[in-house]
Structure formats: structure tokens, C-alpha cells
Amino acid sequence: MTERVREILSWYAGNSPGVLSNLARMLNHGTLAGTGKMVILPVDQGFEHGPARSFAPNPPGYDPHYHFELGLEAGCNAYAAPLGFLEAGAADFAGEIPLILKLNNSDSLLSEGDPCPAVTGSVGDALRLGCSAVGFTIYPGSGMRNDMLEEIRSISEEAKAVGIPTVIWSYPRGGAITKDGETAIDVVAYAAQIACQLGAHIVKVKPPTSFLEQDAAKKVYEAERIPIEKLSDRVKHVVQSSFNGRRIVIFSGGAKGSDDKIFDEVRGIRDGGGFGSIIGRNSFQRPREEALKFLSTVMGIYRGDIP
Amino acid sequence: MTERVREILSWYAGNSPGVLSNLARMLNHGTLAGTGKMVILPVDQGFEHGPARSFAPNPPGYDPHYHFELGLEAGCNAYAAPLGFLEAGAADFAGEIPLILKLNNSDSLLSEGDPCPAVTGSVGDALRLGCSAVGFTIYPGSGMRNDMLEEIRSISEEAKAVGIPTVIWSYPRGGAITKDGETAIDVVAYAAQIACQLGAHIVKVKPPTSFLEQDAAKKVYEAERIPIEKLSDRVKHVVQSSFNGRRIVIFSGGAKGSDDKIFDEVRGIRDGGGFGSIIGRNSFQRPREEALKFLSTVMGIYRGDIP
Amino acid sequence: MTERVREILSWYAGNSPGVLSNLARMLNHGTLAGTGKMVILPVDQGFEHGPARSFAPNPPGYDPHYHFELGLEAGCNAYAAPLGFLEAGAADFAGEIPLILKLNNSDSLLSEGDPCPAVTGSVGDALRLGCSAVGFTIYPGSGMRNDMLEEIRSISEEAKAVGIPTVIWSYPRGGAITKDGETAIDVVAYAAQIACQLGAHIVKVKPPTSFLEQDAAKKVYEAERIPIEKLSDRVKHVVQSSFNGRRIVIFSGGAKGSDDKIFDEVRGIRDGGGFGSIIGRNSFQRPREEALKFLSTVMGIYRGDIP
Amino acid sequence: MTERVREILSWYAGNSPGVLSNLARMLNHGTLAGTGKMVILPVDQGFEHGPARSFAPNPPGYDPHYHFELGLEAGCNAYAAPLGFLEAGAADFAGEIPLILKLNNSDSLLSEGDPCPAVTGSVGDALRLGCSAVGFTIYPGSGMRNDMLEEIRSISEEAKAVGIPTVIWSYPRGGAITKDGETAIDVVAYAAQIACQLGAHIVKVKPPTSFLEQDAAKKVYEAERIPIEKLSDRVKHVVQSSFNGRRIVIFSGGAKGSDDKIFDEVRGIRDGGGFGSIIGRNSFQRPREEALKFLSTVMGIYRGDIP
Amino acid sequence: MTERVREILSWYAGNSPGVLSNLARMLNHGTLAGTGKMVILPVDQGFEHGPARSFAPNPPGYDPHYHFELGLEAGCNAYAAPLGFLEAGAADFAGEIPLILKLNNSDSLLSEGDPCPAVTGSVGDALRLGCSAVGFTIYPGSGMRNDMLEEIRSISEEAKAVGIPTVIWSYPRGGAITKDGETAIDVVAYAAQIACQLGAHIVKVKPPTSFLEQDAAKKVYEAERIPIEKLSDRVKHVVQSSFNGRRIVIFSGGAKGSDDKIFDEVRGIRDGGGFGSIIGRNSFQRPREEALKFLSTVMGIYRGDIP
């Protein structure tokens, strides 16, 4: 147990030994073990975008075992997926890599102005499958947000009672928020704050842009001269907005893009004090060897081996 | 226990012995026992279309005992029906044929833009009636889809806890999907994926056409040159979309059609690696002897006795 | 225990001895005891139409005891009423006549396009009051139908677990169904089928007319030349649609009409193989002596003493 | 225990000794003890109309203790109020006067076309506070009526199981009912019937006018020549509509009016066989001594000491 | 235990020793211990307005520990915050300052005409974190008010059963209430009354203006000449409306304003018999030393050390 991991766990004082153990399990697994940084492999795109859009670019990805193996070989801290994908491999790979059961999911056969994912798994499922955490998406800004917030409230309380930490994907969207606003720095920082206030152990947000969405917030950012020009500054602000760094906040990898652009983004996250990345499509939509190399670079940046 | 059945069961590692036993019971019953192929007799049309439209063409079908006998004599792997039909024969035919209790149903006295079946049975009912599985319909694309997904989530968790596998009928429909889109290959593959991600043990979809419904999917099918011209190719793609073949996926028989057309369809399913058919109206809407002969041909094609 | 009652009970094989005993209790009570025919006295009009419209024509009917006495003296198989009416006499008449607790009710102070009764009693109430069955109304065709179907699903499961049979009043109505369609033969047969599929032990429908409501059904009735001209033929078809006669199906008596018309209707029900009548307003809205005479004639027709 | 109280309790045969004891407690308390008549003090106006509109005319009424004392000194059979008001005195006045916990309440900060009160207390609260009954308001005619009916169904079943009787305030209102219709004789009689059918032990309605609201009812009132000209006749009809007098039905006192008018109304209730009054604003919105004198007159009329 | 605290506790007779102990804990903590006055530090603005708008003016406030320390050093009676903020310090500051867990929260990413906060914590969470009370916001006047009232009903009953008092933030808003009406004296007094009737132990309202919102109330205020010109008079009226002073009612501090204005407001609250203040933004949005001085002055006014 490194000093850094002990320090991180100290922020979660008051949580049960079960919750702390599972947090430690994720922090101490894989290439980044003990560094306090995390790279998580999430594969819910089959549900969210459909199988061909997700896996045709790299067909071995149709097979649920592929992702367990990829996460394991790449040295990811954890592998996150919906119920079906985990059920299809949790026994075969039992104990090999920490698992995060994603408890709600949306599909893209229908899109609604006020989106709300369906709850598709339970804390009981997470226990049954030997998971180290549960994941849950909220859409602040959606007219359905109260449903999501109340679902995660209940799930989170149940999870804490059985030693399972909660990871909240906090993605503002819905009628009240513009497309640019979804990644605006004020909105992303707010999304992180909401997830923390809901009792999340780990928060996932999108890398923020320098756009400011809400007038009332804009005034404050300008008046207080909060630096938001560089990504590292914005990440720093999001970390600050996550209880002054007392909660682990990680950033999504987004759609497939050029590697250099992603590596730069990872540098920005690292330099701003972010805790890591959760990278799906950029990992599993390319051949395995390329993916391993790609993830190795990402982790190298987080370790500091790569500047 | 054949090697093939052992192989299929191995995909369900992590499931309880009860669930595995019930899967084995269905795979090892009837004409196709041990082959890994399945032909299931479903009779929910009385509920879905009304009694006369369902049974007047072959009046013995009004009697619930008829269908137990038909499934049994024809050597089907299982017989699936709503609560009432199973209650009216489960004691009389106890232990003679695996039963699937269909837990939700729609009627056609009212049709709605965002359809949602009513839940009409429970896991407790399935246990009481000695069933080997529960069945549930979801309509991805309907504005009510979250209700269905959350119902099956709960049912499925309860069923797994008592050793009952789940069969999901995944039929996209609703305002967001065109009539042609309901059987489009991208949509059917997506429907299969959703059912698998929900933790279904067996997935039922409609035989897909080569139509492509969603623009975002179309781009990928074309860019990745996914073969979808022949039914066997499309079935192969659906099987791939069902966790790369790690989940049993079967295909509905559709409305009454010419026998040759259906046999060709069955050949396509077989050649594409599909696991079988679930054939209602084409079975029970013709005289018993004809139905037996018809089903015998279907099974012969799946066994490979008939090319 | 007559052969006929034994035969009827045999259709319910698989039900608990408690459910079978309560069915037998109703079949073996009163003037028609042992014949397999039933005449039930239902008095929910106070709730459905208000007290004056229901009881002013025969003021003793304001008193809940009156109906217990009427059902008892007339030799009805059972007396059905909402919670309040049964509570007001169940102790005074304990064990004297089988009771059916009507578990949902509508009033006519407000009428809605998609009607749904309020649930006003429970299985626990039925047990507390010593009832032999619970009754429940569904409105297939109403946009609220799923609520009703899911309520009765739950109630029915609970009732079966404690030995209480279920009687379903299946009355199609709502925006999707025309006024004539509510008693159309295709719709009534469908309504009976739905009730049976929901697991009802006894089904109550309205006497059907020869009107055909739905185009898809009309085609089949005409193609298969299903006889629907005479009431007895239509009743036969409804009985057939009730699991080929394996479920008890009875017919409502409707608004107050001329006695001869009603007796003819009863003859049609009898000749078509219907199991009996449930006659409210025509019983309790006339003086007691007249009512007894009227019901005696109805039962005579069912017994065959009166041609 | 007087003969009259024994007679009234006999109508509730089948209820538990606990329920009967609490009914007896109310019937045997205060000035009207043993007469079978009741005058209840209700104070929910603070919630329904706000504090100043309720208590400014007689400021001691701001204090919850005032109403316990008023009910006690005036010799009322019971004191009815929402949770907060009872909690603020139930310990101080324990055992001194029977209490009725009003379990749902509306405020007048918002008025809706289809009104529905909020549930603000529970049967558990009633037990904790030593209450003799629970009270509940329904608005037949409101589009939300099913919610209210199903709430009281559940509350009433729970209350009966722990020996607590139910008082239903049955006030038709909502889009389907005109302002005059709210107190129309046909509507009030119907409201009383509904409350009785729901299993209420005591029913509270408004004093009815001779207006007839519904056409279908009007025909019957005219055809059957039901007398509705005098208040005593209308009360008689409401009593008849309350299970022919087998349920206690009491009448609200309405807004503050001239004393003579109220005393005349009480005479009408008495002469029609009504069981009493529930008088709030006319009691607590005047100085204590005046209120005591006023209530003394009301009770005198019911006792017959005052003609 | 001072006489004043004993007196206050006597108003809560009938509550469990657990509830009384927790009330006493808050009344006996900090600078105002034993005086019967309270100053509470609430920090839910991170959730309600976002992190930058809340904490950028005084960046140490991003850290949840800051607020525990501020409340402690300033000698506040209690510190109130949402789940996340309390979880992030409850173990570190265990037993040092009474905590109030705020159980529902709104964010400002979406504003709705009929607002309703999301429930974000539970009574179980409050117990787990060692809290002395739970807090809950209601919006009387909102079309969603029944949801809130029924949530707090259930929470409050559960809390009382485990010895936890309830604090209700009663803030009228929604389509039915004008902006000025939200702080109108009639509306604020009504809001206090509703909270008391719901069984709150402590009520929080906004300082009222002399505006009168509702016509029906205005007539009474004028007719009864209720003094509402001075803040102290209005506070007196709100205290009177809170069960004649038998419930603790405290006032919010509002947005950041000039200190003198706030001190004057505190004087008005004190002189009107109000029980104290709950001051968030004016406390934590300025440097720690300034905040301590500011709060010291506020408490001095309440103690009477400062006129």
C-alpha cells in the first residue's frame, strides 16, 4: 500500500472497510497500481450505439471475453460494462481484474429531449458478479434528472451498506443545456460537484472546454478571474470543484480521435491534477496490439515516464 | 449430455446450477435434443390477436391442452404461453414438456404509438407451474422502453435467484422506428445486443431484412463492408451481435406463409449459425397432422437430415 | 359432489385445494347446486350509479342486509358486492351464502375517455370477510388497461396463494372501441379470452350481439364462417373462446328490461353452453317477491325445469 | 353503555373489538355521550386556509392547546386535526378527549382543477398519538379521485387491523361537478354512498341543497318522488343512502354564518335522523365563552333539550 | 440545561427522548448554547448554484472540511449540508458539531415552473453520519407540492422513530405565486404553518416583507389590523403562526448583502421573538476571519450583548 493510496483512502474516512477495500483494489491494480492514477476500460457502446457501430471496426470486440482480456493485458485499473457483458465473463475471469457494473444504460434507437437511461442492473447483481464498484449515469439538466438522482441515491445507499463504492458518470444534457454547454467548463465543474454531493466515490466527467454556458456562472468566472484557458487549468478547476480534490475525478476519452490529440488531453488531465481516464472507443475499436500500445502510452503519461 | 450442449452451457459459466439445469432441460428435450438447436412452440396469439383470428383456422387450438400435445408430439424443445394457457394444462402435462411462461402480453383492441405490454405473470407463477424459463417482450424504440427494460431487469434478477432462465423477445417498434426498420438488419442486430446486455439467456428476434434503418449505422455497415445480402449472412451478423455467439439466439416464424418460404428461411437461419426457431401460427393454425409434418421438416433442416 | 361439478373442478387441476374448495362452495350452493350452472347476485350499482338510481325503485335495497337476504332466499350461488356492502353484513350472515368481494369500482360522477376503476378492497379484506372469491373489472381497449391488467395480476397471484378464486368482469371500452363494439361478438369473445389468459377462474362478459367491430377479426369470422346469428351460437363461440369451455363463463343481465326478453336471453345462454348469469338490477330493483319469482324462473331455465 | 350506543355498534358487527371500542369511546364522550349523536371539533383550517384567515378572528386559536381545551370544555365527542396540531398537544392532553388524526390535507396556495390533498400522516402516527380514529378527505368527481380512493383503501385496511376506525370526509368537486352541484342532494347522497362502500365507519358530508346535478339522477328523483324540499327530508335521504342508516353520517358546519341559521340547520339534521355535526370555524373563530355557549346550544338541539 | 431550553423542550412533549436529546444537543451547542437562540451554518449552495458561484469568492470553501471548521470555530449551533459534503468530513469531525443532513436538493442547470427538489439522502444516511437532525425543503405553491409533502411525511415518520428531529425549509414558489409573493407576510406565515402542521420540529422561512399576496388573506390582515409594517412585527406574526411560538422558527440569511442590513434584520428577528438565523452565503463567501467576526456579531445580537 503506497503513501499516495493511503492518502486517497484517508479522504474517504467514515466509509466502511468494505468500500475502502474495493477502492484500494482498483487503485492497486494494473500498470498504475499505487500511483493514485487510474485508467479504466468502459465498454457500454454495444448498448449505447449498437453492436456494428461499436465492434465492426475491430470485430473481436463482439466477444465479451475480448474486453476482459484487453483490460487485463493493458493493465487497466478496472473494466466497466453493463450486466450482460459482465455476466458473460465474470466467472471465466474471476478475480483477474476489478469490475464495475454499469447499472443504467441508454440505447440510440430513440432519442428524447429529456433523456433518462433505463436501470438495467442492481447492487445484488454487482455482488453476485464479484464487482468492485457500481457505475451510474446521471444527466443533470434533463427534465428527468430527479428520477436519476433518486435512483442513484437509493442504489448508492444500498451499495455502501454492502461495501461497494459508486462511480457516477455525470453528463449534463437535456433541453436546458446547449450542445456546447454539455462540455462547458462551468457545466462540467457543476456536474462534478453534483456527483460529489450525491456521495459518489469516483466521478466521471467529460474533458471541459473553455466555453461558459450559464450567465450567472459566467459573471463569477470573470469576476473571480478563474483560469480556464488551458485544459490543465480547467481540469484543476474541476478537481477543485470535486471537494477540493477529496474525490477521485476521472475524464472520458470521447469518440475515436487522433492519438496525439488524446495524448495531449491526457497530459492536460495529468497536469491539472486529474486522477485519470476512462477510455472506451479509442481502446477497443482498434486492433489489440495497437490498443495495448495506445493504452501503454496513456498510462506512461500518467506515470510520468512519458512527458 | 452431448459435447455441444456442454459447450453451450459453458458460455453461461457463473450462472447457478438451477439456471444451467433448466437451459439443459430445454436443449435436451424433443427431436433436437442434444444438437444445440431449438424449435419452440409459442402460443400467445389468443391474447395478442384474439381467439377467432388465432384459432378459428384450426378450431382444436381453442383448447389449451391441444398446444401441450402439439408441442409434445412434434418434439419441440419447449412450449411458451401466457399464464392462463399454462395454468390450464400444467398439471395435466406435468413433466412432459419444458414450459416457458410468457410474463407480459399485448392485446390488439387498442394500439398505441409507444406500445408497452402488460405484465401478466410472475416468477412465482413460473415456479408454481413448473416452468423451465420465463419469457418477456421488450420494444426498443418505444417511448415506454424504460418501463419494459426495468421490469425485465427486476424479473430477471428474481428468476436467476431461483434458477429460472430468461428468454427475451426483442422487437423494436414505436414512433422512432419505421415499419421497414422493425426488421432492418441494423435494428435487429441492435435488438439482439440489447437483450444480451440485459442478461437474457435466450434471445428471440425477427429474421432480419437487408434494409438499413439508422444513418449512423448505415455508414458503418458500408464502411466495414458487413455482408448483409443473404439471410444466412444477416443471421451470422445477428449471432455475432449476440456476444459473438455466446448467447442462444432464435428467430420468430412470422405470419402464416408458404411452407417452402419458411423452410428456406430456416435454412438461412441454420446456415448463418442461428440456434433455431420459435414458430407459432405456422404450427397451430393448420390441422395437427399437417403441423406435425411441417415441424418435422423444420427440425430435419436444423438437424441437417434435410439439406 | 355431482359428476358435473367434479368435471368442472377437473379443468382447474393444479389449483390449490383451497381454490378448488371455494369454487365448489359456489357451485354447490343454492337452487342450482351441483348443476354446474350459476346465478350470481351482484350489487355494486350503489357505487357505480349512485344510491337513488340504484335503490329508489325498491327502497329496501338501500339496506345492505336486504341483498344478503335476497341472494339467500332466491338460492343464488353467490352474492357479489364492494367492500362496504359486504362489511355491513358479512358477520350477520356469516356462512349463509358464498360472498364475492368486488375489488375495484367506478363511480359515475366523472366519466373519462380511458376509464379505470379504483381499487377499493384487497385479498386480505376478502379473507377477513370470509369470501369465497374476489371480483375485478378490466376494461380492455382503455388506455389504462395495463394498469388494470397489472393490478389483477398481482391480486390474482396473492388470492391463489391463499385459496381464493378470481372472477374477472371483462368489459371492453375506451377510445378505441365503439359503443356497438362493446358488445360485438368478436370483442366479447376477445374479452373472454383475455380474462382466461390472465388466469381468471370465472369470467363475466356481456351477452354479445352479432356486430363485428374489428376488421381483422371480421375477415376471419367471414372466412371461417363462424356462426354468430343466434345468441346461442354466439354464446357457444364465447364459451369456445374461454379455453374451449374449460373456464366458467357467465353473462351479465344488463339494465332493467322486460322479463320475457331476459328469459329468452337466459335460454340463449343455456343453449349455447354458457354457465349462467349474474343479474343485479333486474333482481334488486323490483319488490322482493317479484324478484324471487323472477330469479326462480331464471334458475328454472338453467335447470331445464322450464324450457 | 346505553341501548342506543349498543344498537349503533351492532351495525358494525364483524369489526374488531379495537375498532368497536374506539367508536364507543367517541360516542360515549362529552355532552352527547350515550345519545348516539356526535358533535366533533375539527381544526384543519390553519392548513387549508392559512393561519391568519383561520385564527386572527380569535387569536388564542393560533395555539394548538386552545383547541384541545375548547373541545374538552365544550363537551365535543372528539377533536380532529392534522398531524402537527395533534402532536403539539397529544401528550399534554393525553386521555382527555378522543382524537381524530386527519391524514390528508390541502392548502390554498395553489388551486387545481382536479384537486387532491397531500397525505400528511399515517396510521402509525395515529397510534403513536393515542388517536381514536383517522380522518381522510376524498373528492369524488376529481380526475385524481382514484388516487384518493386507493390511498384510503390502503389506510383503512391498515387502520382496521390495529383497531382504528376511519372517518371519510366525502366532498365531491373537480371539473365534472358544478359549484352548485357540490352540495346538490343527488351528489351529496352519492358521496355518502361512496364513503360507505369504501368501508368508512363515519361519513362526513356537506348539508345538501335541493339542487339536482346529474340528469340521470334527476329522472329518478322525479320519477320516484323522493322528497327533497326540506333539509330534514334531504338529510333523511342521505342517511338512507348511508346504508339505510347503518353508518354514522355527520354534517359539516360550513363557513361562519349567523347562529340562528346554523341552529336551524342542526334542527334539520336532527329531524332527518342525521348523527351530528362537525363544526370548525363557527366554533373556534369566536371568543371562547361565545363558542362554548354556541356549542352548548347545538348539543342541546341534538339532545332535544332545545326544540 | 437552562430553564429556557427546558421550556422549549416542553413544547415537544410526546416526542421520544431521542428526538428531545438531539434538539437539546443543537440548542446547547456553541456560542448561543442554552439561550434558546440558534445560528445554523448551511452549505448547500454547491449543489444549488454550482461550485464556482458558491466558492470562488472564498476558495477555501471548495473544501468540505472548511465548513465543519467554520461552523465549529464560529460557535454555530449546527452545520447543515447535503450528503456528499457531510460524508466528506463526518468522520474527521465526529462529535465536534451537531450536523443536519439536508435530504433533498435542487440544482440550477434546469429551472421548472413547478419546481421539486430531488431526494438525495435518507434517514439511514443521517444515522450513519451521526447527524442530530434531517433537513428537507418544501415548495408550497408548486404543482409538485404533494410529492414533497408526502416525501417529508414518510421521512419525518421514519426519523421520529429513530430519534432524529426534522427541520423543514418552507419556501413557497411555483406558478401560483408571484415573485414578490414568495416573501409576502401572508405567504411566509402560511408556509410556517404548513411546516408546523407537517410535524416539523424546526421551521425555516425567509424574512417576510409587508407585501400581501392573496386576496382572501389580505382582507383578514386588514380587517383584523394585524401589524405587519415593521420586520419585528412580521416576525412576531410568523412566530404566532408557528403554533403560537410552540415551534422553533428560524430565518434564512439570503444572498450576500451589506453587513449592517443583515444585522438590522437579525435585530428584527430577535425583537419579534424569532429563534435565530440560518446564514450560508454571508458566512462562507468571505474570508474566514471576516466570517468569524460577522457571525460573532450576529450571535451577539441574539445574545443581547449587542443591542
Side-chain angles (χ1 to χ4, degrees), chain A residues 13-14 140-141 145-146 150 153 157 160 176 189-190 193 196-199 214 216 220-221 224 237 240-241 243-244 246-247, chain E residues 46-52 56-57 62-63 65 83-85 87-88 91 107-110 112 116-122:
Chain A
R145 69 203 178 295
N146 281 11
E150 296 183 356
R153 190 214 67 68
E157 183 174 22
K160 281 170 191 161
Y190 201 162
Q193 169 79 199
C196 290
Q197 293 286 14
L198 292 172
Q214 298 200 292
V220 174
Y221 279 84
E224 305 289 344
H237 178 61
Q240 190 182 41
S241 296
F243 291 3
N244 205 31
R246 290 180 174 277
R247 288 294 173 264
Chain E
F47 202 126
E48 307 268 335
H49 301 154
Y62 282 109
D63 193 321
H65 283 202
L83 183 69
F85 249 28
E87 280 190 332
D107 65 70
S108 46
L109 288 172
L110 176 66
E112 296 182 306
C116 183
V119 177
T120 57
S122 73

Side-chain angles (χ1 to χ4, degrees), chain E residues 87-104:
Chain E
E87 280 190 332
D92 307 277
F93 296 88
E96 301 191 37
I97 180 170
L99 301 176
I100 301 171
L101 178 59
K102 189 76 197 314
L103 292 185
N104 63 348

